[in-house]
Amino acid sequence: MYLTVKQQVKHLSKDDYRSIRELCHSAKNLANEAIYNVRQYYFTEGKFLNYEKNYVLLKNSFNYKTLNSNMAQQILKEVDGSFKSFFGLLKLAKQGKYAFMDCKLPNYLPKDGYTTLVIGFVRLNGNKLILPFSNSFKKTHKPVEITIPPILLDKKVKEIRIIPKAHARFFEIQYTYEAECVQRNLNKNNALALDLGINNLVTAVSNNGRSFIIDGRRLKSINQWFNKENARLQSIKDKQHFGKKTTNRQKAIARDRNNKVNDYMSKAARKVIDYCISNDIGTLVAGYNVTFQRSSHIGKQNNQ
C-alpha cells in the first residue's frame, strides 16, 4: 500500500528557491519539446511516437541536460502517458464507444509557466532530501537541501513530486511511501450510517443505537470568512483595473482556506474510521446524492 505526505517548502534561501524555479521551468520546456515531437509525428505519419523514440530525439537537448536524467525521463514518461490516453480514446471512438469531438490532443504548457518535478529514484541523506542536479547544473548552482517530514524517517519513499504553486511563488512536495496494509477483519454485520450536513458535518449512528456528531460550524466559518475577504479584495482589484488575473493576496488566502478545509476533512474522516475500528464496525454507509445541492433555497446563510 502507498500513502502520501504533503509538505510546503519553507526556510530555504533565495538562491535555493531560484534553483527550484529554474528546474521547474526547464521541466516545462522539456515537456513542450516532447509534446511537439509526438504531435508532429502524429500529423505527418498518423502514428504514435512512443517514449523510446522520443527519448532518442531529446536526450541531447539543452533542457534534458539541465535536468537530472531521472527527472528528465519522468517528464518524458508523463508526456508518453498522456498521449497513450489520447490514442486509447481515439481507438474507442473508432469502435463507436466514444465521441470523436471529445478526443483532444494534449496541448502545450504555458510559455512562461512551470511544471512538476518528479523524482522516481529517491536517495535521502538522513532527514534531508538533496535535490538531484545534472552535471551541468551543479557547476553553476549550490546544492539544495530540504528537511523531510519526521514521519518519513523510517519509511521507504518511492517517489517525490515537487509541485510549483501560484506561478512558482512557492512549492509543495508530495512524498509517496510504502506502508504495510493491515487487514482488520472487522464484523461486517455491524454498520455505521453517516448523514452529511452543514452545521453538523457528520451525524453518525450505528446499528446498536450509539451515535456521535462532528461539528461543521468551524468549517462553515472558515469558508464564510474566505468568501467575505475574497469579495473585499476583488472589489479593490476592480477599482485598480487589475484585470482578470488573480492577485497574490487572493492566492494566499485561497491557499490558507484550502489547507484548513483539507486538514479538517482529513481529521473528520480519521475520527470516523477510528470509531469503526474501536467498535468492530465493518460496514460504513454514507448518505449521498449527486444533485443534493442543486437549486437549493435554504436561506442565505445555508446557501453560502
Side-chain angles (χ1 to χ4, degrees):
M1 183 171 69
Y2 294 101
L3 299 178
T4 301
V5 172
K6 294 182 181 180
Q7 175 193 24
Q8 185 171 319
V9 180
K10 294 180 179 180
H11 310 302
L12 295 181
S13 66
K14 288 185 178 180
D15 289 337
D16 290 342
Y17 275 108
R18 195 174 292 113
S19 296
I20 300 175
R21 282 170 63 94
E22 286 183 32
L23 290 175
C24 288
H25 188 68
S26 294
K28 183 274 305 179
N29 289 339
L30 180 63
N32 279 346
E33 286 182 321
I35 291 170
Y36 175 82
N37 289 343
V38 182
R39 285 172 65 102
Q40 294 305 310
Y41 192 81
Y42 173 64
F43 295 150
T44 56
E45 304 292 335
K47 297 178 182 178
F48 171 51
L49 183 71
N50 60 27
Y51 163 77
E52 289 78 11
K53 293 179 180 178
N54 211 357
Y55 164 74
V56 173
L57 295 173
L58 293 174
K59 66 180 181 179
N60 293 319
S61 74
F62 172 78
N63 292 303
Y64 188 97
K65 291 185 175 182
T66 300
L67 297 170
N68 173 270
S69 61
N70 178 259
M71 284 184 180
Q73 288 169 15
Q74 293 294 333
I75 295 295
L76 298 185
K77 287 177 181 178
E78 294 213 338
V79 172
D80 186 69
S82 64
F83 275 97
K84 280 182 178 178
S85 298
F86 165 74
F87 282 98
L89 292 177
L90 208 59
K91 186 176 180 181
L92 291 176
K94 291 177 181 178
Q95 297 172 359
K97 299 178 181 179
Y98 202 80
F100 276 102
M101 63 180 296
D102 294 330
C103 299
K104 297 181 180 179
L105 274 167
N107 283 323
Y108 299 104
L109 301 175
K111 185 176 181 180
D112 61 343
Y114 304 86
T115 195
T116 301
L117 295 174
V118 183
I119 306 172
F121 185 67
V122 180
R123 285 182 177 175
L124 298 177
N125 186 9
N127 68 337
K128 299 286 186 180
L129 164 66
I130 301 176
L131 210 61
F133 288 170
S134 65
N135 291 330
S136 61
F137 202 75
K138 283 179 183 177
K139 295 177 181 178
T140 55
H141 296 76
K142 295 179 181 179
V144 176
E145 292 187 359
I146 300 170
T147 303
I148 67 173
I151 193 176
L152 297 172
L153 291 178
D154 59 343
K155 302 293 191 300
K156 185 177 181 181
V157 181
K158 298 293 291 182
E159 184 182 84
I160 297 175
R161 288 177 173 264
I162 302 176
I163 305 171
K165 298 282 187 176
H167 203 64
R169 289 184 64 244
F170 67 96
F171 299 91
E172 179 183 281
I173 303 182
Q174 293 181 358
Y175 302 88
T176 302
Y177 65 94
E178 287 186 6
E180 184 180 356
C181 185
V182 180
Q183 188 63 41
R184 301 284 181 177
N185 293 321
L186 300 174
N187 187 355
K188 293 185 178 180
N189 292 323
N190 292 335
L192 183 72
L194 307 180
D195 177 52
L196 308 179
I198 300 173
N199 287 332
N200 296 331
L201 178 63
V202 176
T203 303
V205 181
S206 64
N207 61 330
N208 60 13
R210 294 180 181 177
S211 63
F212 66 89
I213 293 174
I214 298 177
D215 185 26
R217 289 173 296 179
R218 173 61 180 162
L219 198 61
K220 184 178 170 183
S221 174
I222 293 168
N223 208 43
Q224 194 171 31
W225 175 86
F226 166 75
N227 289 334
K228 184 177 179 180
E229 183 66 10
N230 189 58
R232 185 183 72 84
L233 295 173
Q234 182 70 33
S235 66
I236 295 173
K237 187 185 77 170
D238 292 341
K239 291 176 183 177
Q240 294 175 341
H241 305 288
F242 194 77
K244 294 183 179 180
K245 189 176 180 181
T246 307
T247 65
N248 290 338
R249 181 59 183 156
Q250 285 180 301
K251 291 176 182 177
I253 64 170
R255 181 175 75 251
D256 179 67
R257 177 257 185 195
N258 291 339
N259 288 341
K260 288 178 179 177
V261 169
N262 290 336
D263 178 70
Y264 198 95
M265 297 296 284
S266 296
K267 288 176 178 176
R270 169 49 56 192
K271 184 174 179 62
V272 171
I273 296 303
D274 286 345
Y275 183 88
C276 291
I277 293 172
S278 61
N279 291 276
D280 195 27
I281 297 175
T283 301
L284 191 63
V285 182
Y288 179 69
N289 183 350
V290 176
T291 60
F292 76 108
Q293 285 185 325
R294 187 171 297 169
S295 301
S296 61
H297 299 286
I298 51 178
K300 181 179 177 181
Q301 291 182 335
N302 285 329
N303 279 342
Q304 187 180 30

